[in-house]
Amino acid sequence: GGPAGNQHTDHVPASAPSSHEPSEPSDRMYRALHAVVPPVARALWRPRVEGLEHLPATGGVLLASNHLSFIDSVVIPVVVPRKVVFLAKSDYFTGSGLRGAAQRAWFEGLGMLPVDRDDPRAAIGSLDTALEVLERGEAFGLYPEGSRSRDGRLYRGRTGVGHLALTAGVPVVPVGLVGTDRLQPVGSSLPRPVRVTVRFGPPVRAGGRFEGVPLGRARRQLTDEVMAAIAALSDQVEAGVYNDRAPGA
């Protein structure tokens, strides 16, 4: 699941220090895996995909989704025709031996970047990493709730998504996932053959709407708009509070 700050930091999920220029091998691995994995996964899971036309074909864009399962970060890239960069726990990139190398190649091939959630500087680093991705004209995926919902409710969004949208001047496409908690329940290691639904909503754009508005308030307001859009897509009950990160979440 995505990392979380505490309720006072309001940061996006944490990340390793920046300078994540994609390497040629990982780019090739991404293209090779993306030619194989999505068709196979779509055949197995038969996801229902709605509103994909709302996703811009090019240019920097944020995909802000609810978060129910570890598999969310695989499901979204599988159904989106363009590369989506997500952050993943650095543990997934540091394994040894053949299995470690295969796991690292798999995550890099899906477009994921390593994140050390226990580094106190990581929350700031994640903002830098996301901005680099957006400035390259790529899509960056994140979970404003911070970590997976354990009870199915939609938790309050942390304002990192608002910060990124306002700083980079990019649209935010809200994403509502339904059923991924059954596809790979918390604690299970393999996906199950369950049909999931992925809904994309119209982009939320800052435009010039927040000129003259104090930055903190603008971030909060934009984030709340994004969360309301996600709630409408996912049909979740809104918890109204932050989701405190569970051990190992």
Side-chain angles (χ1 to χ4, degrees), residues 181-194:
D181 50 332
R182 297 192 308 275
L183 178 64
Q184 187 166 0
V186 173
S188 71
S189 58
L190 292 172
R192 299 173 180 181
V194 172

Side-chain angles (χ1 to χ4, degrees), residues 10-244:
D10 267 10
H11 283 307
V12 291
S15 160
S18 70
S19 302
H20 281 300
E21 280 299 318
S23 67
E24 280 300 315
S26 67
D27 262 2
R28 284 199 300 270
M29 176 67 75
Y30 171 79
R31 286 194 295 270
L33 268 177
H34 209 71
V36 175
V37 174
V40 171
R42 285 195 296 265
L44 288 173
W45 300 337
R46 296 176 299 118
R48 297 181 188 89
V49 183
E50 302 169 11
L52 199 52
E53 69 275 6
H54 294 304
L55 182 69
T58 58
V61 61
L62 287 161
L63 277 73
S65 176
N66 60 324
H67 197 15
L68 300 171
S69 167
F70 165 78
I71 205 77
D72 297 344
S73 300
V74 176
V75 169
I76 293 172
V78 158
V79 303
V80 171
R82 57 181 292 193
K83 181 178 181 179
V84 182
V85 175
F86 275 93
L87 301 178
K89 284 194 294 189
S90 55
D91 310 22
Y92 297 134
F93 295 81
T94 54
S96 59
L98 192 58
R99 181 176 179 179
Q103 186 166 274
R104 186 162 55 251
W106 167 262
F107 283 101
E108 287 181 355
L110 283 171
M112 296 189 189
L113 297 175
V115 35
D116 180 0
R117 294 189 297 183
D118 299 316
D119 182 346
R121 300 162 302 170
I124 302 303
S126 69
L127 294 172
D128 294 338
T129 300
L131 288 171
E132 287 175 10
V133 170
L134 295 169
E135 283 163 11
R136 291 200 299 263
E138 295 182 9
F140 186 85
L142 78 170
Y143 307 106
E145 292 171 277
S147 55
R148 288 172 289 182
S149 173
R150 297 279 168 151
D151 59 11
R153 294 187 298 166
L154 184 70
Y155 284 81
R156 193 175 191 211
R158 300 177 189 278
T159 57
V161 63
H163 168 83
L164 291 172
L166 291 163
T167 304
V170 298
V172 184
V173 172
V175 183
L177 297 170
V178 181
T180 56
D181 50 332
R182 297 192 308 275
L183 178 64
Q184 187 166 0
V186 173
S188 71
S189 58
L190 292 172
R192 299 173 180 181
V194 172
R195 195 164 190 192
V196 300
T197 299
V198 187
R199 298 187 181 116
F200 298 86
V204 177
R205 301 179 190 274
R209 293 188 294 133
F210 297 102
E211 286 176 19
V213 178
L215 190 53
R217 189 185 303 167
R219 291 174 182 168
R220 181 76 262 163
Q221 193 173 324
L222 187 58
T223 299
D224 288 345
E225 286 182 26
V226 170
M227 297 310 293
I230 292 172
L233 295 167
S234 68
D235 297 324
Q236 287 170 283
V237 172
E238 294 184 69
V241 294
Y242 288 111
N243 188 4
D244 292 325

